[in-house]
Amino acid sequence: MEKINYFFRSSYTGLSKGIIESFLQNFQVPMHFIIYFKSNRNEQEFVDLFKKYNYTDYEFWINDGTSTKEWTWFVKFYLRHPFILFRPGEWRSVDIGLMYRLIHFHESNLIIHGEFVFNYAYALNYVKYKYGWVCWGYIPAAPLFNIPFLKSYIIDHYIKQSTKILCLSLADERIIKERFSVNSTIFCPYLESFKELDFPTRTKNTILIGNSLFYMDSYLDAAKRLGKFFSLDVTFLCAYGTKKHYEKNKSRLKQILSKSEVHFWEDTVTFSKYVERIRTFSVYICNAQRQTGIGACNVCIDNGVKLYLTGSNYEHYTKLGIKVYDFHEQLSEDNFFELSNEVAENNRMILRYIYGKEMFVKRYTDIMESFQN
């Protein structure tokens, strides 16, 4: 089987390490891992991971200052393709080193794992090898004007030329397929790690609101909707995402829920500790419209926590046949915390089938085969 390159950014170290480990544990086929660093701050964590499995087929791309060679290439490239920049100052977000490497360092199959980044799309429009993209939730807008060299055209071309677009949710698969009129999308979730634990006996009704500070607006909206309930015990998951304006928003959340007990989960913990803490909650709320926090949702479902979701997440789990609740339409004091063991067991059964090892290996084996020339 022809080798596939798997590309990850170190800025998502917590996610990337677990995903890479699931491949190392379950596949014996040729795989090459590329980890891209803005700095080498997290390099040792990846070194230790590969050393654990005696795996040497990987490389680090460290961009600690674009080289003169890469700058010279970029100037020439920009003069030939000036539409890479669209407004004053946008060049600062152009990852020159990464673009150079994507175009010049590899001539074989590549699958990019992570959020959509325009630099990738622009660079990969100039390569001859097959490439794919694992969508982590952000989906660009549909092109308004499909005119060559415009930004919308470049994005449209990138998606349509992808050998496969791997979607972590059924909602994302539908949206990309409809928005860009493509048939290359496929629902292909990552492997989940399940602990053989019985559903906990909860002695207190507690609420967890997630998934990260990137969606602080959804936290504020959720707090306002819950404000009509008195004497709640609410925790906001604040260990991930940007801390910009955090203290101000923290005060606002406390003010909105002034009649409730409010906590903030601010520390990052190991997976075992994460599961242990999740099990203390009765309800999990994710009020973000886009797909996000699939991992958190799955841990909650596997541990009998009742989920209130919106948008893409709600659509995804509903289509899977997992019983979740619409945070906007099904919010009332009656039975707010109640989830029967029968429903919880059925949810867990479906979840473990969809996100288990057998389905993970089958899906990615099919993906790997689709990249063979």
Side-chain angles (χ1 to χ4, degrees), residues 157-370:
H157 186 267
Y158 162 76
I159 289 177
K160 287 181 176 175
Q161 292 302 308
S162 294
T163 301
K164 289 291 181 184
I165 299 174
L166 284 56
C167 302
L168 303 184
S169 81
L170 292 170
D172 287 351
E173 180 186 18
R174 175 190 61 77
I175 292 168
I176 293 173
K177 186 177 293 186
E178 293 176 356
R179 188 172 291 179
F180 294 93
S181 301
V182 293
N183 293 314
S184 55
T185 56
I186 183 172
F187 171 52
C188 192
Y190 294 125
L191 176 66
E192 286 288 354
S193 178
F194 300 114
K195 292 185 173 295
E196 296 304 321
L197 300 170
D198 293 331
F199 294 136
T201 300
R202 298 176 175 90
T203 58
K204 186 179 180 181
N205 286 330
T206 55
I207 300 169
L208 176 64
I209 298 179
N211 172 57
S212 78
L213 293 175
F214 288 119
Y215 310 105
M216 181 55 75
D217 286 347
S218 74
Y219 283 21
L220 293 166
D221 181 67
K224 291 172 184 175
R225 290 177 182 274
L226 291 173
K228 62 184 178 182
F229 299 113
F230 299 159
S231 302
L232 295 175
D233 188 321
V234 182
T235 297
F236 293 92
L237 184 49
C238 302
Y240 313 97
T242 178
K243 294 289 185 179
K244 187 178 181 181
H245 306 309
Y246 175 52
E247 291 301 326
K248 181 178 71 173
N249 286 317
K250 191 174 178 180
S251 298
R252 291 175 64 190
L253 290 169
K254 288 181 178 178
Q255 184 179 10
I256 294 169
L257 293 172
S258 59
K259 297 179 181 179
S260 297
E261 191 174 335
V262 179
H263 312 276
F264 298 90
W265 176 345
E266 297 174 319
D267 57 324
T268 55
V269 295
T270 64
F271 180 70
S272 294
K273 186 69 176 178
Y274 183 82
V275 173
E276 181 183 328
R277 199 175 290 183
I278 287 289
R279 286 167 61 83
T280 66
F281 295 96
S282 302
V283 163
Y284 175 72
I285 297 170
C286 183
N287 192 35
Q289 289 296 311
R290 57 160 275 180
Q291 181 270 107
T292 183
I294 290 286
C297 290
N298 287 347
V299 172
C300 289
I301 291 167
D302 198 49
N303 286 279
V305 179
K306 188 173 184 178
L307 267 65
Y308 287 90
L309 306 173
T310 58
S312 292
N313 284 350
Y314 180 77
E315 177 185 340
H316 169 62
Y317 286 106
T318 300
K319 284 184 173 180
L320 287 180
I322 292 175
K323 181 63 176 176
V324 296
Y325 299 83
D326 190 316
F327 183 60
H328 290 171
E329 295 181 4
Q330 296 171 291
L331 193 63
S332 68
E333 290 187 75
D334 297 333
N335 305 318
F336 180 73
F337 292 99
E338 293 180 16
L339 185 71
S340 70
N341 281 337
E342 181 182 1
V343 171
E345 287 284 2
N346 188 61
N347 283 350
R348 174 187 272 184
M349 180 185 68
I350 296 171
L351 182 80
R352 292 194 171 195
Y353 173 74
I354 297 295
Y355 289 90
K357 176 179 176 178
E358 182 180 349
M359 291 300 293
F360 171 72
V361 171
K362 181 182 184 305
R363 288 190 183 106
Y364 265 95
T365 298
D366 292 343
I367 294 298
M368 292 173 187
E369 290 177 353
S370 72

Side-chain angles (χ1 to χ4, degrees), residues 6-22:
Y6 294 96
F7 175 91
F8 295 87
R9 294 182 72 96
S10 68
S11 52
Y12 301 103
T13 297
L15 287 172
S16 299
K17 282 175 53 186
I19 296 166
I20 292 171
E21 187 164 25
S22 69

